[in-house]
């Protein structure tokens, strides 16, 4: 008899606990809840050792990646031969930035939540005859890019030697569509997917 009572005690205790929880408005459950492992890294935070492997060669630059639905600058590097004329240098810097944007984030960046929406194979060239001298033409028309990709490109170019340093960049595509001056604003950096960066049409001569 004693052994039967002892063996019943755990079930009695469980019943009492369930009754107490029900009385408090808390539903009891016998199924364990798994919320997954705790994050091992603060989102969008990189240590200096995480950045070095991708930014140790060439001219130091910054590119804007996506992280926590925002644009976040990370260090990179592009190679430009010494003695390159300024006009050509600007295009080489722009192409180097595009190449960096289209690369998959490093393992450390991926773990910290970084990503990119810029597709590989995108090319950039300088102005055509009649274009403003600061114009850059992409192999894909800007309006055909996703909001995220265009925001990454605009803010990366506007903050580099590929542009005039006024927070904007003149972009066009391979066709006859008008050139547009795109601006990298605070709103674009904080909500790159909300809409395309603000722009205004630029005339050609």
């Amino acid at each position: 008899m004693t052994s039967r009572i002892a063996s019943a005690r755990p079930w009695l205790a469980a019943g009492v606990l369930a009754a107490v929880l029900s009385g408090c408005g808390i539903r009891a459950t016998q199924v364990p809840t798994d919320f997954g492992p705790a994050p091992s890294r603060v989102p969008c935070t990189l240590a200096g050792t995480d950045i070095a492997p991708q930014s140790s060669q060439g001219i130091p630059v910054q590119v804007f990646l996506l992280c926590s639905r925002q644009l976040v600058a990370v260090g990179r590097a592009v190679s430009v031969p010494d003695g390159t004329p300024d006009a050509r240098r600007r295009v080489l810097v722009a192409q180097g930035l595009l190449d960096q944007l289209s690369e998959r984030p490093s393992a450390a960046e991926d773990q910290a939540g970084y990503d990119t929406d810029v597709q590989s194979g995108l090319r950039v060239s300088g102005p055509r005859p009649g274009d403003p001298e600061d114009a850059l033409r992409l192999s894909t028309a800007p309006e055909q890019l996703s909001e995220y990709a265009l925001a990454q490109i605009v803010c990366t170019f506007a903050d580099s030697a590929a542009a005039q340093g006024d927070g904007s960049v003149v972009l066009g595509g391979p066709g006859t569509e008008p050139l547009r001056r795109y601006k990298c604003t605070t709103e674009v950096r904080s909500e790159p997917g909300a809409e395309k960066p603000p722009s205004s049409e630029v005339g050609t001569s």
Side-chain angles (χ1 to χ4, degrees):
M1 179 68 69
T2 302
S3 61
R4 290 182 179 179
I5 295 176
S7 62
R9 284 175 182 170
W11 297 103
L12 291 172
V16 172
L17 178 60
V20 171
L21 291 175
S22 299
C24 296
I26 302 174
R27 296 182 60 187
T29 177
Q30 295 181 355
V31 180
T33 303
D34 182 10
F35 292 100
S40 60
R41 179 188 294 273
V42 178
C44 307
T45 299
L46 292 170
T49 53
D50 295 334
I51 302 172
Q54 292 199 27
S55 62
S56 59
Q57 301 295 324
I59 301 171
V61 294
Q62 288 191 132
V63 300
F64 282 89
L65 299 182
L66 301 169
C67 194
S68 295
R69 299 183 180 180
Q70 298 180 349
L71 294 184
V72 182
V74 299
R76 289 288 191 270
V78 298
S79 298
V80 178
D82 293 338
T84 303
D86 289 345
R88 179 60 181 162
R89 179 186 181 88
R90 191 169 64 86
V91 175
L92 289 178
V93 169
Q95 186 61 59
L97 293 171
L98 278 182
D99 293 342
Q100 293 293 334
L101 284 172
S102 65
E103 282 190 6
R104 297 306 308 165
S106 67
E109 290 167 345
D110 182 68
Q111 186 179 3
Y114 287 82
D115 199 0
T116 183
D117 207 45
V118 179
Q119 301 300 309
S120 61
L122 193 61
R123 309 298 297 175
V124 62
S125 59
R128 294 175 181 169
D131 288 350
E133 64 178 9
D134 60 341
L136 294 169
R137 287 188 173 270
L138 302 175
S139 56
T140 297
E143 59 268 20
Q144 294 179 2
L145 299 172
S146 70
E147 285 83 356
Y148 287 109
L150 184 57
Q152 286 184 259
I153 293 170
V154 167
C155 288
T156 296
F157 281 0
D159 193 43
S160 74
Q164 298 296 322
D166 61 353
S168 69
V169 61
V170 177
L171 294 177
T176 58
E177 298 84 359
L179 296 167
R180 302 192 69 85
R181 181 176 293 277
Y182 293 88
K183 293 183 178 180
C184 177
T185 63
T186 301
E187 291 75 19
V188 172
R189 290 191 294 270
S190 61
E191 295 184 281
E195 58 185 22
K196 292 185 182 295
S199 65
S200 57
E201 187 173 324
V202 176
T204 56
S205 58

